[in-house]
Amino acid sequence: MPLDERIITEAIVDGYFAKFKSSLELDVAIVGGGPSGLTAARLLATEGFNVALFERKLSLGGGMWGGGMTYNVIVVQEESAHLLTDVGIPVARYKDNYFTADAVAATTTLASAACLAGVKVFNCMSVEDVVLREVNGIKRVTGIVINSSPVEMAGLHVDPVVLGSKFLIEATGHATEVLHTLVRKNDVKLNTPSGGIEGEQSMWADVAETNTVKNTREIFPGLYVAGMAANASFGSYRMGPIFGGMLLSGEKVAADIAAKLRG
Ligand code: 48H
Ligand code: FE2
């Protein structure tokens, strides 16, 4: 049969908009496709929740592709290695509690595992704002405002569209972009010591890795922080190219939100 280009177009449009329509009311919206967001997304989708992940760039993976300074090997600790091996990423002990994995294999496999678990991925899509509503007398995040990344990058004056979500995971990394937008535009108090965003501190891998998991929590009703965004929100340190804390943060936020969704 000869190929009909119009049917190719129709297949794309039907496939994409079926996915889009089934994302109008999400259980969990995840902003950022780095290691923490990908891990959280995979685990929540595996539990059967309606999960979508929004990533500004074309490629998922955030800051994990290049290992340290483009030397594309990552380091993880033993307690987080299962989050790589569970999805088939080979991990080798370097020494003591230091394990290594190929950064490209780890990044692509985490992305693939999330997709295959049922996460609806919207790459090339930026989250530019949130929806705030009063529910039972408490202001909470009830949705996200999204726009096409090329629209954003070209600075075009095109209005965004809105999706509803019971929970939102802010996993935008160092920039903590969604939370900054929330704080800038609204008179809100976060669940942090100052009530605002504390900001990221300089390098201290040991403390930072422990804190990443502690700082992974609900920072505002309906809004959880994960990964580097959790440390930047709560004023902790950076840790350089060790990724165990990012993976464990994804695991923790998924477990916390799954427990809430199950009631
Ligand atoms: C859509 C967005 C938006 C937006 C940003 O930076 P990431 O890899 O995030 P984490 O926290 O999972 O991992 C952090 C890790 O990569 C890292 O940087 C470490 C461990 N650093 C230590 C150190 O000392 O430096 O990924 C975040 C993703 C990126 O892909 C962005 O493009 C994306 O979020 N993103 N996507 N809408 N508004 N903002
Ligand atoms: Fe970083």
Side-chain angles (χ1 to χ4, degrees):
M1 233 204 311
L3 282 173
D4 183 335
E5 297 90 346
R6 292 164 306 176
I7 296 178
I8 298 174
T9 307
E10 188 184 25
I12 292 170
V13 172
D14 278 349
Y16 189 81
F17 286 103
K19 180 167 77 166
F20 204 100
K21 243 184 143 172
S22 71
S23 301
L24 287 172
E25 201 43 67
L26 294 162
D27 290 322
V28 190
I30 299 168
V31 196
S36 65
L38 284 174
T39 300
R42 173 178 68 82
L43 293 171
L44 284 160
T46 302
E47 298 240 1
F49 298 117
N50 189 11
V51 181
L53 185 148
F54 302 85
E55 167 55 53
R56 169 177 284 133
K57 296 184 179 158
L58 265 179
S59 60
L60 299 172
M64 209 163 78
W65 291 93
M69 206 184 76
T70 77
Y71 302 160
N72 58 8
V73 170
I74 59 162
V75 175
V76 298
Q77 310 87 317
E78 187 157 25
E79 54 273 26
S80 60
H82 67 281
L83 292 163
L84 298 179
T85 55
D86 283 354
V87 292
I89 300 163
V91 167
R93 187 190 292 272
Y94 175 65
K95 60 165 75 161
D96 305 324
N97 193 22
Y98 301 84
F99 289 72
T100 58
D102 180 88
V104 177
T107 307
T108 53
T109 308
L110 285 183
S112 166
C115 294
L116 298 180
V119 176
K120 288 176 280 191
V121 173
F122 294 92
N123 56 341
C124 219
M125 193 72 81
S126 296
V127 174
E128 64 169 59
D129 209 338
V130 298
V131 182
L132 282 189
R133 288 288 182 280
E134 221 166 275
V135 181
N136 302 327
I138 296 169
K139 225 182 234 180
R140 65 178 284 127
V141 172
T142 59
I144 53 170
V145 179
I146 61 172
N147 213 331
S148 161
S149 300
V151 164
E152 178 192 61
M153 285 165 177
L156 300 176
H157 187 168
V158 178
D159 277 332
V161 297
V162 177
L163 303 175
S165 185
K166 295 190 181 102
F167 292 99
L168 173 59
I169 301 177
E170 147 68 281
T172 65
H174 296 274
T176 318
E177 207 179 291
V178 173
L179 199 60
H180 273 285
T181 303
L182 171 73
V183 167
R184 188 179 72 246
K185 291 192 162 190
N186 304 281
D187 181 21
V188 293
K189 206 166 153 34
L190 304 178
N191 175 27
T192 59
S194 71
I197 299 169
E198 307 295 348
E200 183 185 298
Q201 296 191 64
S202 295
M203 188 73 77
W204 191 355
D206 189 42
V207 178
E209 282 292 272
T210 313
N211 283 353
T212 302
V213 178
K214 274 193 215 145
N215 292 335
T216 298
R217 48 194 150 115
E218 194 169 26
I219 195 164
F220 185 80
L223 173 57
Y224 284 71
V225 281
M228 260 341 270
N231 277 350
S233 303
F234 285 94
S236 189
Y237 302 90
R238 66 186 305 187
M239 71 295 289
I242 183 157
F243 286 85
M246 298 301 120
L247 301 171
L248 291 169
S249 170
E251 183 180 51
K252 180 177 181 206
V253 75
D256 288 358
I257 291 178
K260 284 237 175 132
L261 283 168
R262 280 192 224 101

